[in-house]
């Protein structure tokens, strides 16, 4: 407690009113028409009167200081780091932002892809076809960063036929595959009439030679690679 304020003499309203009347009378001025209580409360009245303006001024100041935050844009980097078990490329997306991230999207050829979050700022994506992949990062202030990368390493072409030779009921196919490799265990032929399914009688991985032993009819032969891209050809045994 302030001892000086505690010891100050108090002036009651009646005495203050009389003193004002005497002062105005001595000065030859018009007598005061306001009660002393009103004059004593005027400072409080002034403070209450300007309080809304002060609050508004503080709010405007805070908004002005926060204004740059509304235009902070996130950043992101994309890089291919490896391939997965299906020989698909794996890309890593690194996000940098001063504000929390609201959404991260990966779009390949117009279709949205699944993103795997490694942590709050690192994501992985595995494109399953070639084309232009677009990464969109949106922060809580609705600012968006967009990065694009051309994906050209996905094997989307099936094996190629080099030559075909038919000798009696044996069919010799010479194949080539420069992508993920021929899936020899998944090769088959199906009879167009009998619907019989026949596996190769033999194959040579080094030369790409596939041998079928087929009965007399027309056959559809399917030679897939490890990605599931298949070469389809028709063979007739007469």
């Amino acid at each position: 407690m302030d001892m000086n304020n505690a010891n100050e003499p108090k002036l009651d309203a009646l005495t203050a009113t009389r003193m004002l009347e005497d002062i105005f009378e001595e000065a030859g001025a018009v007598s005061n028409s306001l009660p002393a209580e009103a004059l004593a409360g005027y400072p409080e009245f002034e403070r209450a009167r300007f309080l809304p303006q002060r609050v508004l001024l503080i709010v405007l100041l805070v908004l002005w200081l926060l204004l740059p935050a509304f235009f902070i844009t996130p950043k992101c980097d994309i890089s291919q780091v490896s391939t997965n078990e299906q020989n698909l490329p794996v890309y890593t997306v690194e996000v940098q932002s001063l504000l929390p991230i609201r959404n991260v999207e990966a779009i390949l050829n117009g279709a949205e892809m699944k993103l795997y979050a490694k942590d709050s700022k690192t994501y992985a994506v595995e494109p399953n076809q070639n084309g232009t992949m677009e990464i969109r990062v949106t922060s809580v202030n609705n600012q968006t960063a967009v990065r694009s990368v051309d994906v050209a390493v996905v094997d989307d072409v099936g094996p190629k036929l080099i030559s075909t030779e038919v000798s009696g009921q044996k069919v010799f196919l010479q194949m080539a595959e420069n992508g993920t490799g021929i899936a020899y265990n998944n090769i088959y032929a199906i009879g167009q009439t009998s619907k019989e399914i026949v596996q190769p009688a033999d194959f040579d991985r080094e030369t790409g030679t596939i041998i079928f032993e087929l009965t007399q009819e027309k056959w559809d032969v399917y030679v897939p690679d490890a990605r599931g891209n298949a070469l389809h050809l028709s063979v007739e045994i007469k």
Side-chain angles (χ1 to χ4, degrees), residues 24-222:
F24 279 110
E25 185 177 350
E26 288 293 332
V30 179
S31 299
N32 173 45
S33 59
L34 290 174
E37 294 88 343
L39 294 175
Y42 185 75
E44 292 295 330
F45 169 76
E46 284 292 299
R47 278 194 291 270
R49 177 184 176 188
F50 289 102
L51 180 60
Q53 290 88 334
R54 292 177 181 176
V55 172
L56 179 60
L57 181 61
I58 293 173
V59 171
L60 292 176
L61 179 61
V62 171
L63 291 176
W64 182 78
L65 293 174
L66 293 177
L67 186 61
F70 290 100
F71 300 97
I72 295 176
T73 302
K75 298 180 180 179
C76 68
D77 293 318
I78 312 172
S79 59
Q80 182 184 349
V81 293
S82 62
T83 55
N84 62 13
E85 296 177 353
Q86 290 76 38
N87 293 301
L88 293 175
V90 179
Y91 287 83
T92 294
V93 180
E94 298 284 348
V95 176
Q96 300 176 5
S97 178
L98 295 176
L99 299 176
I101 297 300
R102 190 182 70 184
N103 190 32
V104 181
E105 296 177 291
I107 298 174
L108 177 61
N109 298 331
E112 187 171 353
M113 300 187 62
K114 186 175 181 179
L115 276 165
Y116 303 90
K118 294 184 176 181
D119 53 51
S120 60
K121 294 186 177 180
T122 307
Y123 301 82
V125 60
E126 301 172 357
N128 56 6
Q129 57 181 288
N130 294 317
T132 300
M133 182 171 65
E134 189 176 84
I135 304 296
R136 299 177 183 176
V137 180
T138 305
S139 57
V140 293
N141 63 349
N142 211 35
Q143 294 296 310
T144 301
V146 180
R147 289 290 302 274
S148 297
V149 60
D150 290 329
V151 179
V153 295
V154 176
D155 181 11
D156 56 2
V157 179
K160 294 181 180 180
L161 177 65
I162 298 177
S163 64
T164 304
E165 181 182 346
V166 179
S167 177
Q169 292 185 336
K170 287 189 176 181
V171 178
F172 299 85
L173 304 176
Q174 185 75 32
M175 308 298 300
E177 165 61 25
N178 296 324
T180 56
I182 296 173
Y184 288 93
N185 293 329
N186 297 329
I187 299 172
Y188 67 95
I190 181 170
Q192 293 183 4
T193 302
S194 66
K195 303 303 178 183
E196 179 185 2
I197 297 177
V198 177
Q199 303 291 335
D202 195 9
F203 54 80
D204 188 332
R205 295 178 184 271
E206 292 185 3
T207 62
T209 301
I210 303 168
I211 303 174
F212 278 98
E213 293 183 1
L214 304 173
T215 57
Q216 291 183 350
E217 71 169 302
K218 290 184 178 180
W219 295 83
D220 290 317
V221 180
Y222 296 91

